[in-house]
Amino acid sequence: MGNEQAPRVHRLDSTLANQIAAGEVVERPASILKELLENSLDARATRITIHLEGGGMDLLSVEDDGVGILAEDLPLALERHATSKVATWEDIQAIQTMGFRGEALPAIASVSRLELLSRVRSQNQAARLQVTGGMAAAPEPAARAPGTTVRVADLFFNVPARRKFLRSPATELSRNQKVLRQIALANFPVAFQLTQSGRSLVQFPAATDAESRAARVATILGEGFLANALYIEQEDQGLSLSGWLGLPTYNRARGDEQYFFVNGRPVRDPVINHALRAAYNDVLFQDRHPLYVLYLALPPERVDVNVHPAKAEVRFRDSREIHDFLFHTLRRVIAGQGGERLHVTIPVQPLSRPSAPAQSPAPATYPTQRPLSAVRDGAGTYWEGLVATATSPVPTAEVRVAGSEDLAPNYPLGQAVGQIHARFILAQNSEGMILVDQHAAHERILYEKMKNASQQNDKQAFIIPEYVHVTAAQMARFDERQADLQAAGLEISVAGPGTLAIHAAPAPKAVAAATYGQIVADILAEEPAWVEGDGDAVLADMACRAAIKTSRRLSLEEMNSLLRQLEATPRFGQCNHGRPTVVHFSLADLDRFFLRGR
């Protein structure tokens, strides 16, 4: 033991050092494609062509028409930390290029057979440099138009253990296509083409105007996305947010169609993710994910992109400012107070035929609904005081029709005509027919009133407390959730064994006081659907339990009262769980139902 010698410190061989670095930069063909595309974009390319063999494992080639690399600089371009993009610490503090670390090319060359072919416009011929497993040959003259071609063959041929972690060629091809979609959405003026084994798979023409940019988005996310999205442009305090924001009712089970860019760079960031999720909090159906393509622009010195070699993560100088800007901007847009609403025609099938299955995937959980124009709070005169008490269910269909003198289609949601199965309100406006889910609509109205009252700390104190008798399990749950109930505006105390006393509640106009006791009892009777500390979720639960039930018969006066209040409610297109409250059929849609005009 005493004779053991300490290991000596030595420099790693440059090839071994590059192979170690490749573990952070080169995970699979898709990560190589990302690095090479970023180099082409930094070279100001306007046309980029990608060729693949075996999903990129056998061959991955990227050709561009950028500024190129000088022949004498080709060997240097394959050395670690050699780059033309930054030179000083100040450059690092305000990075404006996609690449900057000078690690990608040497890392890729160390685990593949790489060929670098480039020509600058000022030179008459190109130069070629070939590298095998990190060992470079001498540059040689070659022929090429101005620009650069990088060919990466036999990926991981010298580290077979790494190659075993790759998937099938089809899977690797799919990951390459995902990278290309991300890059294409961030660089509209650039034309892209992807081929595999000589067959063209993807082609994105250059998009230089609003129409062609929207066409590229539709190609990537589908035309259904554009028809169910809001286009936004917002600026504040040096921050700019633009792009397409999917409606809450157009959603997916997975979050794989979400694209967010910071200064043109696709990123993953917990601050951004939290702000986006919170913006959709009250309108997105549970366990569903929205679709969006959003671009955040800010001065480069306010964001640090030098966080990880893959450059997929960023760190904001003031993350709270970014979070609040995103949250409040998107919240206003979703509430109908900003953004350009896109109208869509509802596909109609004759009633005598069953609907055929869709040929393309439709991410929306519900049928496409025609968005209605935003309504300002306080517009018109509204009925007050819907009473949320349930009556016995209606076993048969009931349609009650108003006289023609009652039809005044001057309101966005029109005038009530009748009620269907004591569940839906049938109304008409100047554009066609409207169906309203009475429970979902009233739920949204109550929730917004309760939340506003809670934020204003506006409570109704009861002169005589309302007492609620609860079981031992309910009392135990009250002890666990008392803070959440209080955050929602409910002041409750233990009045005795098995008895709770409600002293105050939010939004006195939203729910009749006599219903709070039953609401509290119902909430405590089940495991809560909210996480601890989420007061808004408690309010949403209360609103759902207090809203008029699907079995409640309504008079025409009550139906119109509901419509007028709904028009004045933010985010009235969805209930608190993300389900739609309103579906609009235009006259043209109704004509197609009955084959009129044929």
Side-chain angles (χ1 to χ4, degrees):
M1 297 292 293
N3 295 327
E4 288 185 359
Q5 294 184 351
R8 298 297 304 273
V9 178
H10 62 276
R11 290 187 180 89
L12 289 176
D13 175 80
S14 60
T15 300
L16 179 59
N18 285 334
Q19 289 176 340
I20 294 172
E24 294 183 314
V25 178
V26 184
E27 297 178 10
R28 53 187 0 101
S31 56
I32 294 176
L33 179 61
K34 175 180 179 292
E35 297 291 343
L36 298 184
L37 287 177
E38 289 179 348
N39 284 342
S40 294
L41 294 170
D42 286 339
R44 301 190 293 277
T46 61
R47 187 176 65 257
I48 302 175
T49 303
I50 305 156
H51 300 287
L52 300 177
E53 298 286 345
M57 294 183 290
D58 299 330
L59 175 67
L60 190 157
S61 170
V62 175
E63 303 176 6
D64 68 50
D65 61 348
V67 297
I69 306 172
L70 290 168
E72 54 266 33
D73 286 347
L74 286 182
L76 189 60
L78 292 171
E79 292 187 14
R80 289 189 70 192
H81 309 307
T83 179
S84 63
K85 301 168 186 179
V86 295
T88 66
W89 174 248
E90 288 72 21
D91 295 336
I92 292 292
Q93 294 297 99
I95 294 172
Q96 301 187 51
T97 56
M98 299 297 291
F100 55 88
R101 300 174 65 101
E103 293 179 326
L105 279 180
I108 296 168
S110 69
V111 292
S112 68
R113 306 183 196 276
L114 182 142
E115 178 183 275
L116 183 59
L117 174 65
S118 189
R119 174 188 163 190
V120 299
R121 287 176 174 79
S122 60
Q123 294 181 333
N124 295 326
Q125 66 178 9
R128 176 187 288 111
L129 182 63
Q130 295 181 321
V131 188
T132 302
M135 304 301 294
E140 59 184 13
R144 193 201 189 282
T148 300
T149 299
V150 181
R151 291 170 52 88
V152 180
D154 298 333
L155 181 60
F156 296 139
F157 80 96
N158 55 347
V159 278
R162 293 284 303 280
R163 191 174 177 94
K164 291 180 180 179
F165 284 95
L166 299 180
R167 307 296 293 274
S168 67
T171 299
E172 297 301 335
L173 171 62
S174 175
R175 289 172 170 169
N176 280 307
Q177 290 175 314
K178 181 176 181 180
V179 167
L180 178 57
R181 289 195 295 269
Q182 285 183 323
I183 297 294
L185 284 173
N187 299 273
F188 287 109
V190 181
F192 298 90
Q193 183 178 14
L194 170 66
T195 66
Q196 173 159 273
S197 302
R199 184 166 62 97
S200 180
L201 300 180
V202 179
Q203 192 159 358
F204 297 125
T208 56
D209 55 28
E211 184 176 354
S212 58
R213 287 193 292 270
R216 181 176 290 189
V217 172
T219 300
I220 294 174
L221 282 87
E223 294 184 3
F225 170 72
L226 281 186
N228 290 274
L230 305 171
Y231 181 76
I232 63 173
E233 289 184 359
Q234 301 286 334
E235 293 186 15
D236 184 43
Q237 301 296 320
L239 303 176
S240 172
L241 183 67
S242 61
W244 293 264
L245 187 67
L247 294 173
T249 47
Y250 193 76
N251 50 62
R252 290 175 62 90
R254 298 171 55 196
D256 56 346
E257 294 292 355
Q258 299 176 341
Y259 298 90
F260 196 97
F261 304 89
V262 176
N263 289 347
R265 185 187 306 276
V267 300
R268 300 186 305 266
D269 182 79
V271 172
I272 293 172
N273 292 339
H274 185 273
L276 283 159
R277 195 71 192 177
Y280 279 96
N281 184 44
D282 296 338
V283 293
L284 192 66
F285 194 67
Q286 56 188 349
D287 300 325
R288 304 293 292 185
H289 298 270
L291 289 76
Y292 51 76
V293 181
L294 295 172
Y295 306 87
L296 175 65
L298 69 166
E301 61 271 13
R302 295 171 68 174
V303 57
D304 182 7
V305 300
N306 188 24
V307 177
H308 188 274
K311 305 186 295 294
E313 303 173 14
V314 295
R315 185 176 294 117
F316 296 105
R317 307 297 183 192
D318 188 342
S319 58
R320 170 54 62 182
E321 178 189 30
I322 301 298
H323 180 281
D324 291 348
F325 171 69
L326 292 176
F327 170 73
H328 292 297
T329 299
L330 298 178
R331 190 79 161 181
R332 287 195 303 269
V333 172
I334 294 172
Q337 300 176 20
E340 177 186 350
R341 279 192 183 272
L342 304 176
H343 290 262
V344 59
T345 300
I346 300 174
V348 175
Q349 298 284 344
L351 294 180
S352 59
R353 303 178 186 174
S355 298
Q359 298 300 316
S360 57
T365 306
Y366 301 100
T368 303
Q369 66 184 65
R370 187 186 303 277
L372 298 168
S373 301
V375 181
R376 295 184 179 180
D377 292 349
T381 304
Y382 304 108
W383 300 88
E384 290 293 339
L386 281 172
V387 180
T389 55
T391 60
S392 59
V394 179
T396 59
E398 178 190 25
V399 178
R400 291 181 283 123
V401 181
S404 59
E405 68 278 2
D406 297 323
L407 303 180
N410 297 322
Y411 299 110
L413 295 182
Q415 196 78 0
V417 178
Q419 188 182 23
I420 302 175
H421 286 280
R423 180 180 300 178
F424 303 106
I425 297 173
L426 177 65
Q428 76 171 34
N429 64 4
S430 59
E431 298 179 357
M433 180 181 77
I434 294 172
L435 283 177
V436 178
D437 184 325
Q438 64 190 43
H439 171 77
H442 195 211
E443 183 181 343
R444 168 58 65 183
I445 293 169
L446 294 183
Y447 173 65
E448 293 296 341
K449 287 185 176 181
M450 288 179 176
K451 187 166 67 170
N452 183 64
S454 177
Q455 292 171 349
Q456 303 294 328
N457 198 26
D458 182 13
K459 298 180 182 179
Q460 178 186 21
F462 302 148
I463 298 176
I464 300 177
E466 184 175 353
Y467 294 98
V468 186
H469 296 290
V470 295
T471 65
Q474 288 173 310
M475 184 65 76
R477 197 163 287 130
F478 168 73
D479 292 337
E480 296 173 358
R481 296 291 176 168
Q482 185 174 7
D484 294 335
L485 295 170
Q486 185 174 359
L490 287 168
E491 293 185 6
I492 307 174
S493 66
V494 178
T499 304
L500 297 176
I502 304 175
H503 302 279
K509 293 183 180 180
V511 181
T515 66
Y516 277 110
Q518 186 59 48
I519 290 172
V520 170
D522 289 345
I523 289 176
L524 297 178
E526 302 174 1
E527 284 294 332
W530 66 83
V531 296
E532 187 173 353
D534 193 346
D536 284 350
V538 181
L539 292 174
D541 197 358
M542 292 171 57
C544 182
R545 297 175 187 277
I548 54 178
K549 306 300 186 252
T550 55
S551 58
R552 169 71 191 277
R553 300 186 183 190
L554 300 176
S555 67
L556 284 174
E557 184 179 71
E558 288 173 320
M559 286 185 265
N560 282 309
S561 171
L562 188 68
L563 296 179
R564 301 293 79 79
Q565 292 184 67
L566 188 61
E567 289 168 343
T569 300
R571 298 174 286 276
F572 73 80
Q574 295 83 33
C575 75
N576 311 329
H577 304 101
R579 291 188 290 266
T581 60
V582 178
V583 176
H584 178 214
F585 296 87
S586 70
L587 288 173
D589 296 329
L590 298 177
D591 285 340
R592 280 194 295 275
F593 264 127
F594 297 97
L595 307 180
R596 291 176 62 89
R598 297 189 182 183

